[in-house]
Amino acid sequence: MTKENFLVEIGTEELPPKILRYLAETFEKNFISELKNASLTYQEIRWFATPRRLALFVRQLTLIQPDRKIIKYGPTIRAAFNKNGTPTQAAISWARSCDINVENANYLETHKGQRLVFCAKQSGQKTALLLPEIISTSIKKLTNLKQMRWGESNLQFIRPVHTVTLILGDTLLPVNIFGIFSSRIIQGHRFMGESSLTINHADNYLKVLSEKGKVQADYSLRKKIIIANATAIAERIEGFADLQEDLLEEVTSLVEWPVILMAKFNKKFLKIPTEALVHTMVDHQKYFPVYNKKGTLLPYFIFVSNIESSNPQNIILGNEKVIQARLEDAAFFFHKDCQHHLDDYLPRLKSVLFQKNLGNLLDKTYRIKKLSGWVAKQINSNIQNATRAGLLAKCDLMTHMVREFTETQGIMGMHYARRQGETEEVAIALMEQYKPRFSGDSIPSNPTSCALAIADKIDTIVGIFGISKHPTGDKDPFALRRSALGVLRIIIEKKLPIDLQSLTEESIKLYDKRLSNANTAEDIINFFFGRLSSWYQEIGYKNDVIKAVLACHPTRPIDFHTRIEAVTYFCSMKHSMRLSAAHRRISSILNQSKEILNHNVYHSLLYEKEEIQLDTRIQTIKTSLNLFLIEERYQDALIALTPLHKDIEQFFSKVLVNTKRKELRINRLTLLNQLKNLFLQIADLSLLK
């Protein structure tokens, strides 16, 4: 037999549920890499993971490593021997690394001349001898995560290791990992089935675990069981379970034998805002909320137990008692908060530090209020709504509900604003001020929300840059990159006429004398340009197109977007690269020149037919081009410029720019400079490739 199935399992204490899939997939990835390095082939690899184990099952693994031809190149003959023909130290060291004497080396003719070469055939080793080291290396590569020690050993892993099992077919492979010798004994379920199981053959792994150990090691199968059963149970009451992917993954990682049950809570709690109830169920208890077909929350929840009980009602009652206590707390906090208006919490913001050099949250609130109004004016929105939203933006942070359930910030602000009679647009803005929270998140829905979200984010960016706490490398403690991208997304996706330079300068003024960085505005604009570049590359725009547009320093994001679209279209046109090449040549000539150019071209100094023709074409195009630029019709502007490539090519073929006559030379350079400036009103086409 030349192939056999292989099993490796590492039995541990409970592994972190939020990274269980990552651990298993990374273990598999590392193992595949090591097999490739060893030239070992296989038919299929499957990973398994439960809270107490990581495992790999390899189908049809080659039992013997193939023979390998080893070729080691040495120094050239000139470097290998001195004038007397004696081997140099370089040759001796190389020969020693090959375990031969220099005189036993072969010679190979190369383009650099003859050089020493060693050729040998290395017989393949048995896979059983290679696997222990392969597994050890694969596990060690998981150590970029937080490690821990246990017992008296200095060995470290993510969690304490109890068992190690390596079985090739029916053969147990001797290996010591984490100070534990490989054994056929693995752990069953902690509370059901047999706690200690024996694996006689790699093929029996899943069957033994499932039938005797009450452990479903197949992660994807556990997940499917949870989805199917939760869906079926919810349908019994004509509802549907909200199986959020993140929670589904976490719950799958928390159990070894999923048992899906449904419980209920008192209907009186439905008077509490739905978001607070859902947060309590999902984030605190890992329950799945249940909704009716209209999307209204029902007084039920679905949970996943890790025990198959003969009396599941006891488990249900236990979970109902837990959620009852949590919801009683939420109800108490909610009713207590409702006794006050959001405005009442405003003075308390003074006790919360925003940043030690930038003041407290009350200071930030007053800046946001003014800046929200300024943004609203720029986008022709309701200034009164924007300033009101800015004033109330952070008040819910001081409420009992948000202090207990921090993830509901903004959401509770919206509900409390509605209860005290604020306009719906203001209430929604309090909830949407943090959007977009992450990549792919939705942006604020109404103008007031947009004004508040932009003001809040730019205030943070300006403040942190203003005290020279710029993001560095992978360190961005104030999430400025995310905030900047959020500002850009809102402006571009909502097509808002906001200029980043003006926005930044307005925010700087509101900080008065708190900022110490004299280059704050410049640093922030460059930071925004960097985020624009990264974002547009991620969504598929070419890097040279982005650079061509950024060279014109467009500080209105919507203007940047329009230019990018236009230049991308331009690149698809037939003669675009010829015009780009012409621009590149013009830039090169002008960069090499030290001449002081005229403000205008002197037509009386245009002698050659080709330079007269080029000047005439420029003057003709200018009229229509100015109209296109005023209306920001950059695509039409580039189409209008495209025919110029013929006139430019004829100009360069017939006209000597660097003529000895100074007045002619300067006039021709001025003509080229005018042409270059025409291009630069849209993009630096010379950067296109």
Side-chain angles (χ1 to χ4, degrees):
M1 183 181 292
T2 58
K3 295 183 179 181
E4 188 57 272
N5 295 339
F6 170 66
L7 167 73
V8 53
E9 188 203 78
I10 309 298
T12 67
E13 287 291 338
E14 273 73 5
L15 293 162
K18 291 188 177 180
I19 61 168
L20 183 62
R21 175 190 280 273
Y22 169 80
L23 287 172
E25 290 179 339
T26 305
F27 186 23
E28 178 192 44
K29 179 183 175 182
N30 295 344
F31 183 68
I32 290 172
S33 176
E34 294 304 313
L35 288 182
K36 184 178 180 181
N37 291 340
S39 301
L40 294 174
T41 61
Y42 56 90
Q43 184 183 94
E44 177 192 18
I45 294 182
R46 293 179 64 193
W47 62 266
F48 301 104
T50 77
R52 303 173 68 212
R53 74 202 72 236
L54 294 173
L56 300 175
F57 181 79
V58 187
R59 194 178 302 281
Q60 296 296 291
L61 179 63
T62 306
L63 291 180
I64 298 179
Q65 187 184 43
D67 295 341
R68 292 192 285 182
K69 186 177 182 181
I70 298 175
I71 301 176
K72 289 187 176 181
Y73 296 102
T76 61
I77 299 301
R78 183 179 298 176
F81 300 96
N82 58 28
K83 295 178 180 180
N84 301 324
T86 304
T88 62
Q89 187 58 47
I92 294 170
S93 298
W94 170 80
R96 189 181 296 122
S97 71
C98 299
D99 199 24
I100 62 171
N101 295 319
V102 176
E103 54 266 26
N104 298 130
N106 295 319
Y107 291 40
L108 179 70
E109 193 68 45
T110 70
H111 68 283
K112 292 184 178 180
Q114 279 193 327
R115 65 186 301 178
L116 300 179
V117 66
F118 169 70
C119 300
K121 180 180 178 182
Q122 185 182 68
S123 298
Q125 292 181 270
K126 290 183 178 180
T127 301
L129 299 175
L130 298 170
L131 282 170
E133 182 61 28
I134 288 175
I135 294 297
S136 295
T137 303
S138 301
I139 292 173
K140 286 176 183 175
K141 289 183 179 179
L142 292 173
T143 55
N144 60 324
L145 299 165
K146 189 174 181 181
Q147 305 293 298
M148 63 184 299
R149 290 196 293 267
W150 60 96
E152 298 179 357
S153 171
N154 286 323
L155 297 168
Q156 298 184 47
F157 193 55
I158 300 131
R159 290 293 184 270
V161 176
H162 293 306
T163 63
V164 174
T165 301
L166 275 73
I167 299 178
L168 185 60
D170 59 359
T171 303
L172 180 70
L173 302 184
V175 61
N176 186 315
I177 300 176
F178 301 114
I180 299 171
F181 286 98
S182 177
S183 165
R184 294 182 185 274
I185 306 300
I186 63 172
Q187 304 174 104
H189 196 286
R190 194 181 285 279
F191 305 111
M192 300 190 302
E194 299 177 20
S195 60
S196 182
L197 307 169
T198 302
I199 304 295
N200 293 320
H201 196 288
D203 294 353
N204 298 333
Y205 178 65
L206 290 179
K207 184 177 180 182
V208 170
L209 263 180
S210 177
E211 294 181 0
K212 295 185 178 182
K214 285 295 183 180
V215 173
Q216 179 51 260
D218 189 329
Y219 186 97
S220 60
L221 184 54
R222 288 204 309 279
K223 188 174 178 179
K224 288 177 182 177
I225 290 171
I226 294 171
I227 293 171
N229 289 355
T231 301
I233 290 174
E235 287 176 349
R236 292 179 197 166
I237 57 169
E238 298 184 351
F240 69 90
D242 182 13
L243 303 175
Q244 298 175 30
E245 185 63 21
D246 287 347
L247 178 58
L248 191 56
E249 284 280 314
E250 187 174 357
V251 170
T252 302
S253 301
L254 282 167
V255 297
E256 292 192 315
W257 191 262
V259 177
I260 293 77
L261 301 169
M262 183 166 67
K264 58 186 177 181
F265 58 86
N266 197 309
K267 290 182 180 179
K268 70 177 184 180
F269 294 120
L270 292 176
K271 295 177 182 178
I272 302 172
T274 298
E275 295 87 351
L277 297 178
V278 170
H279 168 72
T280 302
M281 286 188 275
V282 172
D283 295 314
H284 287 268
Q285 302 304 131
K286 313 305 175 188
Y287 297 157
F288 296 108
V290 180
Y291 297 83
N292 64 19
K293 302 302 180 185
K294 294 181 180 179
T296 303
L297 184 68
L298 296 174
Y300 295 91
F301 60 91
I302 290 171
F303 65 96
V304 181
S305 173
N306 194 33
I307 299 176
E308 196 174 70
S309 173
S310 58
N311 189 1
Q313 192 59 35
N314 286 339
I315 299 175
I316 292 172
L317 288 173
N319 280 270
E320 287 179 346
K321 286 181 180 179
V322 171
I323 198 67
Q324 172 80 12
R326 296 295 298 175
L327 295 182
E328 288 285 4
D329 288 344
F332 172 77
F333 294 138
F334 178 66
H335 292 310
K336 196 164 186 178
D337 287 340
C338 288
Q339 296 172 15
H340 303 275
H341 281 183
L342 282 173
D343 310 59
D344 297 338
Y345 295 101
L346 198 60
R348 300 186 191 181
L349 292 173
K350 193 172 184 179
S351 64
V352 182
L353 189 68
F354 168 49
Q355 203 280 337
K356 64 179 181 180
N357 297 317
L358 301 175
N360 53 54
L361 275 187
L362 186 60
D363 298 327
K364 182 177 177 68
T365 294
Y366 288 138
R367 290 195 303 270
I368 291 174
K369 174 189 173 183
K370 292 178 182 178
L371 197 54
S372 295
W374 184 89
V375 174
K377 184 178 181 180
Q378 306 306 305
I379 63 176
N380 296 315
S381 179
N382 188 308
I383 297 174
Q384 186 176 351
N385 279 349
T387 54
R388 182 62 177 166
L391 184 68
L392 301 177
K394 305 305 176 185
C395 290
D396 71 338
L397 297 178
M398 306 311 296
T399 63
H400 294 84
M401 185 69 89
V402 174
R403 288 166 71 180
E404 180 68 19
F405 307 109
T406 55
E407 292 82 355
T408 63
Q409 64 183 35
I411 295 170
M412 295 313 301
M414 174 185 69
H415 287 290
Y416 295 146
R418 283 171 173 166
R419 291 181 68 88
Q420 70 183 44
E422 301 292 340
T423 66
E424 183 63 9
E425 193 158 321
V426 168
I428 293 294
L430 299 187
M431 188 266 288
E432 294 186 337
Q433 63 179 298
Y434 302 106
K435 289 191 170 192
R437 294 180 179 85
F438 50 85
S439 176
D441 190 18
S442 60
I443 60 173
S445 60
N446 66 57
T448 298
S449 297
C450 291
L452 177 56
I454 291 171
D456 185 22
K457 291 172 176 59
I458 197 67
D459 177 80
T460 300
I461 293 169
V462 166
I464 303 305
F465 268 85
I467 56 173
S468 301
K469 299 286 186 181
H470 305 51
T472 56
D474 59 348
K475 293 182 179 179
D476 187 9
F478 289 91
L480 300 188
R481 294 185 181 96
R482 185 175 64 197
S483 294
L485 185 57
V487 170
L488 294 170
R489 278 193 59 201
I490 294 169
I491 294 174
I492 291 173
E493 293 178 28
K494 288 291 186 179
K495 297 181 171 61
L496 303 179
I498 293 178
D499 180 80
L500 292 176
Q501 188 76 39
S502 301
L503 175 65
T504 302
E505 290 172 356
E506 187 67 25
S507 182
I508 290 172
K509 280 194 293 184
L510 293 174
Y511 268 98
D512 198 15
K513 298 178 181 179
R514 287 186 181 272
L515 307 183
S516 55
N517 178 10
N519 298 318
T520 299
E522 182 182 350
D523 290 348
I524 288 174
I525 295 302
N526 290 334
F527 180 64
F528 270 114
F529 282 168
R531 300 315 300 153
L532 271 173
S533 180
S534 299
W535 178 27
Y536 273 69
Q537 284 184 63
E538 287 173 9
I539 59 179
Y541 288 93
K542 292 172 63 179
N543 190 41
D544 59 332
V545 171
I546 296 169
K547 286 182 177 179
V549 172
L550 286 178
C552 297
H553 215 68
T555 54
R556 288 190 302 113
I558 191 62
D559 184 48
F560 169 86
H561 177 76
T562 307
R563 290 171 189 260
I564 285 282
E565 294 274 282
V567 176
T568 299
Y569 174 80
F570 169 75
C571 290
S572 67
M573 294 173 62
K574 185 177 180 181
H575 299 298
S576 61
M577 289 303 103
R578 292 175 67 179
L579 190 60
S580 175
H583 187 183
R584 199 153 41 243
R585 185 172 181 181
I586 292 168
S587 296
S588 177
I589 292 171
L590 291 171
N591 289 338
Q592 292 173 26
S593 173
K594 306 291 185 181
E595 305 280 7
I596 298 174
L597 304 184
N598 301 324
H599 291 293
N600 298 300
V601 173
Y602 292 108
H603 297 91
S604 59
L605 294 177
L606 298 174
Y607 293 113
E608 303 288 351
K609 180 181 72 174
E610 288 75 17
E611 61 183 331
I612 295 171
Q613 183 176 321
L614 179 58
D615 178 65
T616 302
R617 176 80 73 172
I618 291 172
Q619 301 311 317
T620 303
I621 287 175
K622 268 187 178 180
T623 304
S624 57
L625 195 65
N626 288 336
L627 177 62
F628 293 147
L629 293 174
I630 290 170
E631 297 177 353
E632 296 182 3
R633 293 162 57 188
Y634 299 118
Q635 186 170 305
D636 291 333
L638 285 169
I639 292 172
L641 287 173
T642 304
L644 273 171
H645 75 87
K646 291 181 181 178
D647 300 291
I648 297 170
E649 289 165 2
Q650 289 174 5
F651 173 86
F652 281 127
S653 66
K654 300 292 184 179
V655 178
L656 179 62
V657 177
N658 289 316
T659 178
K660 291 181 179 179
R661 289 183 59 184
K662 183 175 181 179
E663 69 274 15
L664 288 183
R665 183 172 67 251
I666 292 177
N667 201 52
R668 287 168 181 172
L669 287 171
T670 302
L671 177 63
L672 292 181
N673 193 50
Q674 280 196 358
L675 188 56
K676 177 186 175 182
N677 290 334
L678 277 184
F679 298 147
L680 289 178
Q681 291 181 86
I682 307 163
D684 188 346
L685 303 183
S686 69
L687 297 175
L688 299 177
K689 299 173 183 177

